[in-house]
């Protein structure tokens, strides 16, 4: 008899529940550490039916500084992604980011015409929209609705005025968190040589593949470490 690898078996059991009990609301709180201070993030994903067999999603994220750092950076960062859920995962229609009083960044996904429109700091650009393109927020939640990645992941991801093909390697790790030890699949983005950029995601294997930790280094050199502090999941028979 051929046995399934433990990591795949766990996911199949989790997905069989998900197929009949799709979460209607997921709320995750994070603590954030940066090289200049600390903060906190609250993210809420809501899933609602929009056809007999189709679902629409929204993800809202709000980040703000805490402690002394709040005196230096009082403004919050608000992100939003909205779209539908397909057999291939999330398909965003619109992604939004606003930092304090700055003009918001916006990505509009025109899947019918395969065009993405990007707006950032008063500039606008249009590019061809590759299949499976995600924004950074929807990427973090995409694997709730797809098969687990095995060896590598390739996805076009948009951020501000950029659209790039991101390649991730896949590993496994037991992660210590404030909510206990979590079995995770780890996605590590492969960067070009000498690049300062960095992005690494930990997805909870036995909890809907939710993002429980994200480490990134941005273009300005700022390092951000985002670690889960709480998860609340709601289910409704009719949503």
């Amino acid at each position: 008899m051929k046995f399934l690898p433990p990591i795949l078996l766990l996911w199949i059991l989790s997905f069989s529940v998900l197929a009949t009990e799709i979460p209607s609301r997921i709320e995750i709180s994070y603590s954030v550490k940066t090289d200049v201070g600390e903060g906190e993030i609250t993210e809420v994903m809501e899933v609602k039916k929009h056809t007999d067999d189709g679902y629409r999603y929204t993800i809202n994220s709000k980040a703000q500084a805490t402690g002394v750092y709040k005196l230096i950076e009082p403004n919050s960062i608000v992100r939003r992604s909205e779209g539908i859920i397909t057999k291939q995962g999330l398909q965003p229609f619109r992604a939004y980011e606003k930092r304090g009083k700055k003009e918001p960044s916006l990505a509009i996904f025109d899947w019918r015409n395969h065009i993405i429109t990007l707006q950032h700091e008063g500039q606008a650009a249009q590019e061809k929209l590759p299949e499976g393109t995600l924004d950074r927020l929807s990427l973090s939640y995409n694997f709730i609705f797809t098969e687990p990645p095995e060896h590598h992941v390739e996805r076009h991801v948009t951020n501000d005025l950029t659209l790039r093909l991101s390649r991730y390697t896949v590993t496994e790790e037991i992660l210590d968190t404030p909510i206990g030890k979590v079995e995770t699949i780890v996605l590590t983005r492969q960067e070009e040589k000498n690049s300062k950029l960095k992005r690494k995601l930990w997805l909870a294997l036995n909890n809907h593949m939710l993002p429980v930790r994200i480490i990134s280094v941005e273009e300005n050199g700022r390092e951000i470490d985002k670690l889960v502090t709480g998860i609340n999941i709601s289910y409704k028979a009719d949503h």
Side-chain angles (χ1 to χ4, degrees), residues 171-191:
T171 55
E172 301 171 28
E173 183 179 327
I174 304 292
L175 181 68
D176 280 318
T177 78
I179 63 172
K181 292 184 181 294
V182 181
E183 285 189 74
T184 66
I185 287 179
V186 187
L187 306 184
T188 303
R189 192 171 67 192
Q190 302 305 290
E191 308 294 351

Side-chain angles (χ1 to χ4, degrees), residues 7 27 44 52 76 83 86 95 98 101 113 136 146 150 153 160 169 199:
I7 198 164
E27 184 172 348
V44 177
D52 287 343
S76 60
T86 72
K98 183 170 176 57
K101 298 179 180 179
N113 297 305
R136 284 177 60 169
T146 67
E150 292 186 2
V153 173
D160 296 334
T169 57
R199 192 158 181 84

Side-chain angles (χ1 to χ4, degrees), residues 81-128:
S81 176
E82 56 189 67
I84 62 172
I85 300 170
T86 72
K87 293 179 180 179
Q88 290 73 43
L90 300 184
Q91 186 179 77
F93 291 161
R94 186 174 182 270
Y96 168 101
E97 179 179 306
K98 183 170 176 57
R99 294 173 176 262
K101 298 179 180 179
K102 294 182 179 179
E103 286 293 314
S105 299
L106 182 65
I108 301 172
F109 300 75
D110 182 350
W111 294 102
R112 178 175 296 178
N113 297 305
H114 304 286
I115 293 172
I116 184 169
T117 302
L118 302 171
Q119 299 175 11
H120 178 66
E121 294 184 348
Q123 300 181 57
Q126 285 191 330
E127 295 190 33
K128 182 179 178 181

